[in-house]
Amino acid sequence: MAAPAPSPLPFDAPSEPNQEKGPDIVVLHPGSLYLRYGFASDLSPAVIPNVIAYQLRDPSSRQIIVPAPTYASSSSVSTSAQTDGTTHDPSVEAFEREVSAVEADIRRRRYLRSNKGMLKKGLPAAFPRYQGTWYDSSNATQQLQNINQSQVDVSKPFLVGEEALQLQQQQPFKVVWPFRRGYLNTSAANQMPGEDTKPLQSVADDVERIFEYVLITKMGLSRKDIRGLHCVLVLPDMLNRDEIKTLVNVILRQLGFKACFLHQESVLACFGAGVSTACVVDIGAQKTNVVCVDDGIMLPSTCVHMDYGGDDMDRFLLKLLTQTSTHFFPYPECNPNDLQDASILRRMKESLCSCVQLDELVFPYEFKTHKIDQPTTVYRFNISDNAVIAAHGFLYPSMLDVRPLSLLHFRSLYQFQDPEDYIEDLLAAEQKPQPKPEAKDNQAAPVPEVQTASVTVQPPKQRTNFVRTGLETATTAILPLDEAIAVSLSNASTPELRKKLCMSILVVGGGALLPSLQPVLEERLKERIARIDPNIDAVQVWVNPKDSDPRFLSWVGGSVIPRFDSAKDQWLWRSRWLGEWDPAEARDELRQEETVEAKTEAARKWRKDRPLEGGVRFIRERAPIAW
């Protein structure tokens, strides 16, 4: 039998991602609090806290910060309200008046059914059906005999994930959260000792170490394995071009993946839910995004970003427990800036908070604190109305203590100009001189268009925070969740599209797990949207389509969409990003030439053009994301 004829090209064809199961595709979805990761063939992702802690040479410079803004009112605790049941602090009294107003509105909507019980004073008569133990200062605290020792290897230069969260404040580590409020975290809180600013490349190094830890330690891959794998990177919706380019550089240059696929989390959430058109409401740990997606395409004019999330609800719950006279709370020294206390608050919220009061009017709750070289302490308390009031924090965001600066953002298409994007240089070089029009008195001359040989480019428009809507809102106001959704829907291009989006409001993220969020949000949205479009009389909110976990919908969409035939040409290849000559990836292009001379000339041209593809232009041409 004759041997098969050799290939006319002296190199192998590029390996495409497995279209069936995706065993050679790694899906990474970074968030402000968690990183979700896994192979595309997995049913659900694994989760790790998206945090890294560096060991400090100078222990006096340590500073541990949780991923949430610092509020003076949240960290201070009124002890007078815990002793004699009276409040003397004017700020506490003002806060109680605000809580009473919110509680009255919640009762009006019949989300609260119980009488206001003085749980602080321990009066079971207010809840005659409750058969459990009533906790007060006499029986709410218990110390166990075992002494806690540190379980973390503090000799390591840095710790990632759960190990970093186990650190105590007295240990010489600097905790860094690479993502904050849906953006890369370049804030002063993330600066290392001696740094004046937190440069973007320094944040990229933090991201690289976390990704590398996950890939090598958690997934069992080697550096050689990574160079042969493809990566799907799920992007937060509001990242600007510079941040996107930085993350692509981490994936292709620093980690060395063979190829990268990019898409925004809102669009991928739609694919994960099995819908193509929806108004996606992403309630994360530190941000809330509202984005409308039509036929798999994000509509930039409908993007609304707000700087509050689940961590702010944790602080609101703590403030309700410590600064109101309706509950006895045995742990008033709880500090949300402490990593372990922040974890306690997060578990407390997930266990107790509900948008509608359940049949049980009072809940007993127990938690433990573990401090180094101290006995484990068990705390117990009762909670009732405040669990429901805290769950409505997204609907009354003025109670969340979020600073009213830059709270409402609308996505700008002109946020970044890439110096490596040579198209802009060509446009500037080919610009034809235009005669200056004569300006009339007291009238500015119009800005001319930029004429080129093949394209006409309008100067970037100045984007403002103004939104066309029938609602009376200010851009610096803290919008409630239902109003933010109404603002986003009001910017839909046609009434038909707006009506279609109202019937497919998809809530994703950890905030979607709040019990009874769906009926509460639907009721309030009907009131809001009726003011914008009276013709819309129905609203449908989805929190767990197809019984899926709303926290993982974007990751699931990221594991599905690269298998589509339309995604084959949307991969960013490492060789082209770095300007490397890799004949294997040129085969498809060179195969179109018939003669050897033509193939040689095409290969020479292919190699010459590769270094020009390492910037934003390459992302813009390949990635299916809205710029």
Side-chain angles (χ1 to χ4, degrees), residues 108-401:
R108 180 181 63 83
R109 298 175 180 272
R110 300 184 182 275
Y111 302 145
L112 270 175
R113 300 188 303 275
S114 66
N115 296 323
K116 189 171 183 179
M118 300 296 291
L119 298 188
K120 171 178 171 44
K121 295 182 178 180
L123 299 179
F127 303 95
R129 292 186 296 170
Y130 181 66
Q131 302 297 326
T133 303
W134 286 86
Y135 296 106
D136 53 28
S137 58
S138 64
N139 62 349
T141 305
Q142 178 185 358
Q143 287 190 352
L144 304 182
Q145 296 298 324
N146 60 308
I147 303 297
N148 293 285
Q149 303 293 333
S150 177
Q151 303 297 325
V152 180
D153 184 4
V154 295
S155 63
K156 296 180 180 179
F158 61 86
L159 303 172
V160 178
E162 293 289 351
E163 291 183 342
L165 292 185
Q166 294 176 15
L167 292 170
Q168 303 283 343
Q169 288 217 12
Q170 62 268 30
Q171 293 178 303
F173 279 83
K174 170 69 177 182
V175 177
V176 175
W177 301 86
F179 288 82
R180 182 178 185 273
R181 304 292 185 187
Y183 300 92
L184 290 182
N185 190 0
T186 57
S187 65
N190 255 15
Q191 295 176 12
M192 296 297 292
E195 289 182 342
D196 296 331
T197 59
K198 183 71 173 180
L200 195 59
Q201 183 56 43
S202 179
V203 182
D205 294 338
D206 300 334
V207 174
E208 178 194 3
R209 291 186 180 97
I210 296 175
F211 285 0
E212 184 180 34
Y213 172 83
V214 165
L215 295 169
I216 296 178
T217 304
K218 296 295 186 179
M219 301 182 68
L221 302 173
S222 65
R223 276 286 186 176
K224 183 178 179 181
D225 296 333
I226 295 175
R227 293 186 66 84
L229 295 176
H230 304 74
C231 177
V232 175
L233 184 61
V234 182
L235 298 173
D237 294 323
M238 303 300 292
L239 287 184
N240 60 39
R241 298 180 179 182
D242 195 10
E243 294 172 321
I244 294 176
K245 178 184 174 182
T246 299
L247 292 179
V248 173
N249 222 28
V250 170
I251 297 297
L252 297 180
R253 183 186 299 274
Q254 298 176 227
L255 292 176
F257 275 97
K258 187 173 185 178
C260 177
F261 184 91
L262 304 176
H263 220 318
Q264 283 126 335
E265 55 187 357
S266 60
V267 178
L268 293 180
C270 292
F271 283 101
V275 297
S276 61
T277 300
C279 177
V280 182
V281 182
D282 185 3
I283 307 176
Q286 299 181 20
K287 50 81 179 175
T288 299
N289 286 342
V290 184
V291 179
C292 292
V293 178
D294 184 23
D295 288 335
I297 300 176
M298 188 181 74
L299 306 178
S301 62
T302 64
C303 298
V304 180
H305 171 91
M306 292 167 294
D307 287 339
Y308 60 75
D311 287 351
D312 301 285
M313 182 182 293
D314 299 343
R315 293 173 176 267
F316 181 38
L317 177 61
L318 175 63
K319 194 172 181 180
L320 286 170
L321 294 174
T322 57
Q323 296 191 10
T324 60
S325 60
T326 59
H327 285 76
F328 170 78
F329 187 61
Y331 188 44
E333 63 272 17
C334 181
N335 180 14
N337 289 335
D338 180 81
L339 293 174
Q340 294 196 8
D341 286 353
S343 299
I344 291 173
L345 289 173
R346 193 173 300 117
R347 292 191 297 268
M348 190 184 304
K349 172 195 64 181
E350 295 171 355
S351 302
L352 298 176
C353 290
S354 174
C355 292
V356 177
Q357 194 170 48
L358 304 178
D359 294 336
E360 296 82 4
L361 302 181
V362 180
F363 291 93
Y365 188 73
E366 174 182 304
F367 63 92
K368 300 178 182 179
T369 59
H370 305 276
K371 304 295 183 181
I372 295 180
D373 299 330
Q374 295 181 12
T376 298
T377 305
V378 181
Y379 296 95
R380 303 179 181 90
F381 68 99
N382 303 103
I383 188 170
S384 178
D385 303 347
N386 283 351
V388 179
I389 297 174
H392 284 75
F394 296 147
L395 303 174
Y396 303 90
S398 61
M399 306 294 295
L400 296 179
D401 275 343

